[in-house]
Amino acid sequence: MDERVASILEQLSKGRIPVVPPDVDYAVQLARLTSYLDAIRHFTLALSSGDLSQTMGQAGMGPVVGSLKALHSSLKHLTWQTKQIALGDFSQRVEFMGEFAEAFNTMVVTLGESRAELEQAYERLNEDMMELQLMSAELQQSEERFRLIAESVSDVIWTLDASLDSFTYVSPSIASLRGFTVDEAINEKFAQALTPKSYAYVQDILMQKLSFYSETGTLDSFSERIEIEQVCKDGRIIPVEVVISAIISTDGNIKEFVGISRDITERKREEEKLKYESTHDSMTGLYNRAYFDDELGRIANGPLFPVSFIVADLDGLKRVNDSIGHEAGDQLIRGASDVLKMAFRGSDVVARTGGDEFLIILNMTDEELAAKSIGRIRIYQEQYNKNSGNMPVSISLGTATAYSAGDIPSALKEADKRMYDDKVSRKQQRVG
Amino acid sequence: MPEGIINRKYKFNWDLLGDLELGRPNLGHNMRVEVYRLMQYSFRDVLEERYGADEADRVFHEAGFLAGKAIYDNLIGPQGDVNELIKKLQSVLKDMGIGILRVEEADLDNGRITVTVAEDLDCSGLPDTGVELCTFDEGFLAAILKSFSGKSFTVKEVDCWCTGDRTCRFTAVVNED
Ligand SMILES: [Zn+2]
């Protein structure tokens, strides 16, 4: 046999692919074998570098190539499966490929689960977003509603920062309350919006309520109405009723204060009027019996002794009423009242305690000073009568002094008795 | 009336597979692969003797088509897309022990599908005869694809155990007509 054949076979057995000389024995068969091996080598190289587009073509027959083609086929199937997974088909599974199949399938399951979790999270996020949007829309609606309410009521609604420093909202009716525009009112500090006394008062009250809140966690005490005084743009000071509440943030701290302010000038005036009417005699403007009795109680507990009382009784009222008429009688009463008003200071209590009876309380006044007061009444009575025409006023007077609360009843009785004595002696004078 | 129709005894339908629960209460659904092959290759021998190898191939191809359509109608049913179809077909072929179907390419838009069948019931393990054998499978796959897509496909076995390969590879190309 050709020795070159042996050498070629030797090289083939070592895995080399030798060049086959054309003139060697079995040259055609050997050349076919080497080109077959060469084709396998190329195919294997392509496979190992991941190039699955190569095929064995017509040369690729037989079990050796068949095994390679099976590998080729598996890799192509894997590639296809991976593409399906990439498109979201996590049901793909590799089968019959041993450990690799197990590892690959675990990866796909994990990927699928992660994807599902992500989708769930995304869905939840979407739901939360929807909810937030809904809430925000509702919030906007409710804010709009409250704005409309705040801006249509005549009371002033305002919000104040938690440090009691600046306003964060003031409703437009501030213009009718204090004459300021909304901008002016918002730029004003809280301390400037109130009189100094009211500012201190409000601060005090809010501090109390805040400490109550921090102790009990309830805001109940906030709804109480308080009365304060505020300064208007034109300098007037007006009485204002305020209700202050607190808005608590989610962390439990005070976020803001909300207040409603109302002008109570009219109400105050009404109250003053009622109070005046309940303490004064409507015909003369002097204090009435009720006030006189209250005042007696007050001086009994007070430090203003000695206190002197003057009992004054209008003479001849019944006679004038009967003979001339009640209008003339009323004129007489007003005349007596004018005389008494002229004779005393504003701080003295001059009261009409009966139809023709007047009582006067003089604090820190002893008998001597009381006697001078009696003298003063006589002088003013004389003056009055000079101009009173045919309706002269004649008043009987008596005085007594109390040095302590216990003396008061007897002093009043004594004064009354002396007035009566005066009336009798003056009647005798007229007659005599 | 044509002669062929007069002589029909068993026109194929799914019921011909019989009630196995009733008929094989002890032996059940399974039998040996050799028996299947025994029947197939004895048939083929007689057919080749009588009509020649090419005609025998055509007979098997047509029979495969009939079987594929029956399988589609009875075990697969309508599917959403080609990937669903493949998945379903894979599981049917595996569950029935027909073979392990793998996909190399499934581009229905361009009418090209390449699949492999490993451990094929018909040919895996057969002697290397150098000729592709699985004409039954070609018809079978063509019927599945036609049932699914409504289009007719030409399915060709390009690699087969019988040509030395370890898997059978089929290419399917849609017929432009
Ligand atoms: Zn085959």
Side-chain angles (χ1 to χ4, degrees):
Chain A
M1 194 203 271
D2 194 333
E3 272 184 22
R4 288 176 298 171
V5 174
S7 157
I8 286 169
L9 290 175
E10 179 67 22
Q11 290 195 52
L12 282 170
S13 74
K14 287 177 177 162
R16 299 199 189 100
I17 303 175
V19 177
V20 178
D23 58 340
V24 76
D25 286 351
Y26 304 110
V28 174
Q29 289 84 353
L30 284 173
R32 216 180 281 152
L33 174 60
T34 54
S35 76
Y36 178 70
L37 285 175
D38 207 37
I40 290 178
R41 192 170 63 89
H42 274 103
F43 187 55
T44 316
L45 270 174
L47 273 185
S48 67
S49 67
D51 177 4
L52 302 183
S53 66
Q54 300 290 324
T55 63
M56 282 298 290
Q58 280 311 104
M61 291 227 181
V64 177
V65 172
S67 302
L68 282 175
K69 281 163 85 176
L71 174 62
H72 180 237
S73 160
S74 290
L75 288 174
K76 285 194 97 167
H77 180 57
L78 264 181
T79 307
W80 179 83
Q81 282 190 302
T82 310
K83 282 180 186 164
Q84 300 309 307
I85 293 165
L87 292 172
D89 177 6
F90 295 101
S91 68
Q92 291 291 337
R93 294 288 180 276
V94 174
E95 286 177 313
F96 313 116
M97 286 186 79
E99 207 179 321
F100 171 76
E102 204 175 306
F104 188 90
N105 292 342
T106 307
M107 177 189 78
V108 178
V109 169
T110 310
L111 271 177
E113 285 170 357
S114 307
R115 168 70 171 258
E117 276 168 26
L118 268 178
E119 276 170 354
Q120 276 174 8
Y122 180 74
E123 208 165 293
R124 276 199 301 276
L125 205 66
N126 249 347
E127 279 169 18
D128 288 354
M129 281 277 286
M130 292 270 287
E131 208 172 312
L132 269 178
Q133 275 171 353
L134 215 68
M135 275 167 64
S136 140
E138 277 171 14
L139 199 66
Q140 234 170 19
Q141 246 175 27
S142 111
E143 263 189 19
E144 175 65 10
R145 194 154 54 229
F146 282 113
R147 194 185 59 77
L148 278 174
I149 293 170
E151 299 194 351
S152 55
V153 295
S154 58
D155 291 353
V156 179
I157 296 171
W158 44 267
T159 56
L160 181 69
D161 69 11
S163 62
L164 299 178
D165 181 56
S166 308
F167 291 101
T168 49
Y169 172 81
V170 179
S171 70
S173 46
I174 189 70
S176 53
L177 182 74
R178 294 175 57 217
F180 289 109
T181 65
V182 169
D183 279 348
E184 286 169 341
I186 279 195
N187 288 324
E188 191 183 41
K189 294 285 174 201
F190 185 53
Q192 301 171 293
L194 290 77
T195 61
K197 195 178 151 196
S198 286
Y199 177 63
Y201 171 62
V202 170
Q203 262 190 326
D204 199 36
I205 280 191
L206 286 180
M207 287 307 144
Q208 280 174 31
K209 292 184 190 307
L210 287 179
S211 73
F212 184 74
Y213 168 69
S214 65
E215 279 165 26
T216 64
T218 85
L219 288 172
D220 296 354
S221 70
F222 271 91
S223 50
E224 190 191 328
R225 288 158 197 275
I226 54 175
E227 284 180 16
I228 56 165
E229 285 182 329
Q230 289 195 271
V231 188
C232 297
K233 195 177 183 181
D234 61 13
R236 277 182 308 124
I237 289 176
I238 54 166
V240 175
E241 181 186 82
V242 183
V243 179
I244 303 178
S245 303
I247 295 178
I248 306 301
S249 62
T250 45
D251 59 9
N253 289 320
I254 302 279
K255 192 180 164 203
E256 279 190 323
F257 293 101
V258 184
I260 303 176
S261 301
R262 173 177 297 182
D263 183 355
I264 52 168
T265 305
E266 204 49 49
R267 195 177 83 198
K268 279 276 168 197
R269 199 174 287 150
E270 208 54 41
E271 281 173 9
E272 289 296 326
K273 194 176 152 215
L274 279 175
K275 192 176 164 196
Y276 180 88
E277 283 169 358
S278 71
T279 55
H280 287 77
D281 170 48
S282 60
M283 188 194 293
T284 60
L286 296 174
Y287 290 116
N288 60 16
R289 177 93 221 181
Y291 184 85
F292 178 84
D293 290 342
D294 286 349
E295 189 62 18
L296 276 188
R298 278 192 288 278
I299 57 170
N301 297 310
L304 302 174
F305 290 99
V307 175
S308 291
F309 301 101
I310 295 175
V311 176
D313 197 273
L314 180 58
D315 299 331
L317 178 62
K318 190 178 179 320
R319 200 180 60 241
V320 170
N321 276 340
D322 293 349
S323 61
I324 311 179
H326 282 279
E327 264 181 42
D330 290 350
Q331 197 187 324
L332 206 59
I333 292 167
R334 278 194 284 269
S337 144
D338 287 347
V339 169
L340 294 175
K341 279 179 194 164
M342 284 186 283
F344 294 99
R345 302 158 293 183
S347 61
D348 298 325
V349 176
V350 182
R352 181 180 173 217
T353 52
D356 52 5
E357 186 190 69
F358 301 85
L359 278 166
I360 297 141
I361 302 171
L362 303 169
N363 291 321
M364 300 181 78
T365 303
D366 59 10
E367 285 95 338
E368 199 185 330
L369 283 172
K372 281 185 181 166
S373 293
I374 298 269
R376 243 183 4 255
I377 295 171
R378 293 286 176 229
I379 291 168
Y380 285 115
Q381 178 182 303
E382 208 168 303
Q383 266 181 24
Y384 177 87
N385 285 341
K386 276 182 190 160
N387 306 310
S388 66
N390 58 349
M391 290 280 285
V393 166
S394 166
I395 305 172
S396 300
L397 296 163
T399 180
T401 301
Y403 285 84
S404 69
D407 292 347
I408 292 175
S410 58
L412 279 171
K413 210 180 254 177
E414 183 59 26
D416 195 54
K417 183 178 166 291
R418 286 179 186 160
M419 178 280 290
Y420 189 72
D421 292 346
D422 182 42
K423 189 172 287 262
V424 170
S425 76
R426 282 145 50 79
K427 205 178 256 179
Q428 283 168 349
Q429 267 178 8
R430 276 204 297 278
V431 172
Chain B
M1 201 175 278
E3 200 186 347
I5 292 184
I6 295 167
N7 290 332
R8 294 304 301 265
K9 285 186 180 167
Y10 289 105
K11 182 173 166 56
F12 178 76
N13 67 77
W14 194 254
D15 290 341
L16 279 179
L17 302 185
D19 184 341
L20 296 177
E21 309 290 337
L22 181 68
R24 287 168 60 96
N26 297 304
L27 295 177
H29 286 72
N30 297 322
M31 58 148 191
R32 298 277 300 254
V33 173
E34 295 94 311
V35 181
Y36 170 84
R37 288 185 179 176
L38 179 66
M39 177 157 151
Q40 173 167 173
Y41 293 110
S42 54
F43 253 119
R44 176 173 276 273
D45 185 82
V46 174
L47 285 171
E48 282 189 12
E49 276 298 323
R50 193 164 296 179
Y51 302 112
D54 289 350
E55 191 57 26
D57 277 347
R58 275 192 287 280
V59 168
F60 269 90
H61 192 285
E62 277 178 38
F65 196 92
L66 209 54
K69 187 174 181 323
I71 291 266
Y72 187 90
D73 292 344
N74 290 283
L75 299 180
I76 294 177
Q79 300 294 319
D81 59 35
V82 70
N83 292 333
E84 296 289 319
L85 173 72
I86 287 165
K87 235 180 283 174
K88 185 72 187 175
L89 186 58
Q90 272 177 325
S91 83
V92 168
L93 295 189
K94 187 181 147 200
D95 293 348
M96 300 194 82
I98 297 172
I100 300 166
L101 180 79
R102 294 195 174 104
V103 183
E104 295 189 352
E105 184 186 16
D107 185 358
L108 208 60
D109 292 340
N110 291 311
R112 283 187 55 83
I113 291 175
T114 305
V115 298
T116 62
V117 181
E119 302 188 26
D120 185 84
L121 180 60
D122 294 303
C123 72
S124 283
L126 262 62
D128 183 351
T129 59
V131 283
E132 290 86 3
L133 176 74
C134 302
T135 51
F136 184 87
D137 291 11
E138 289 173 354
F140 181 90
L141 287 172
I144 299 281
L145 291 174
K146 166 123 184 159
S147 297
F148 170 72
S149 70
K151 292 175 190 160
S152 96
F153 281 77
T154 296
V155 179
K156 184 82 195 82
E157 186 181 38
V158 293
D159 291 321
C160 182
W161 189 284
C162 298
T163 61
D165 290 297
R166 311 315 284 183
T167 62
C168 300
R169 174 182 277 112
F170 299 88
T171 59
V173 180
V174 75
N175 295 325
E176 305 288 348
D177 50 21

